[in-house]
Amino acid sequence: MRVLLKATLDTEKGNEAIRNGTMPGMIKGVVERLHPEAAYFGAIGGRRTALLVFDMKDSSELPPVGETFFMETNAEVEVCPIMNADDLEKGLSQLSVS
């Protein structure tokens, strides 16, 4: 299932990770583990944010997905199923309209 992970990093913990040099390795490790089809990083609502779109084959993959962000940056992590245009078209074609 295609999912979107949104990790909003704690500013102080993020600053610490940048100062001590661990931020690049942390991000690289997450990207290498998840193999996202898309990965974006920027400031949303004034806080460092990572947006990753990746395939989650089983719900048991959920705990390790966010733990790096939780442990390293005290991040707020959200994960939700998403669709691309092809998925949406396929899903809408299965609706019966009365």
Side-chain angles (χ1 to χ4, degrees):
M1 173 187 318
R2 180 178 286 114
V3 297
L4 169 68
L5 178 141
K6 177 183 176 188
T8 305
L9 285 55
D10 176 77
T11 300
E12 286 305 312
K13 288 287 199 172
N15 289 346
E16 182 181 320
I18 288 171
R19 284 188 195 109
N20 68 25
T22 59
M23 181 73 79
M26 180 195 73
I27 297 298
K28 182 179 179 183
V30 168
V31 169
E32 287 176 349
R33 188 173 67 251
L34 298 180
H35 304 288
E37 67 182 64
Y40 299 98
F41 307 91
I44 297 178
R47 295 176 61 194
R48 291 178 187 101
T49 304
L51 300 167
L52 305 170
V53 177
F54 64 98
D55 184 47
M56 189 164 59
K57 293 177 182 25
D58 187 88
S59 60
S60 66
E61 296 175 41
L62 193 54
V65 163
E67 282 308 316
T68 299
F69 289 110
F70 288 134
M71 299 290 289
E72 300 293 325
T73 62
N74 199 30
E76 295 173 14
V77 177
E78 300 174 49
V79 179
C80 69
I82 58 171
M83 298 177 282
N84 63 19
D86 292 337
D87 297 333
L88 179 61
E89 183 178 347
K90 181 179 176 182
L92 290 175
S93 72
Q94 297 174 37
L95 297 177
S96 61
V97 180
S98 301

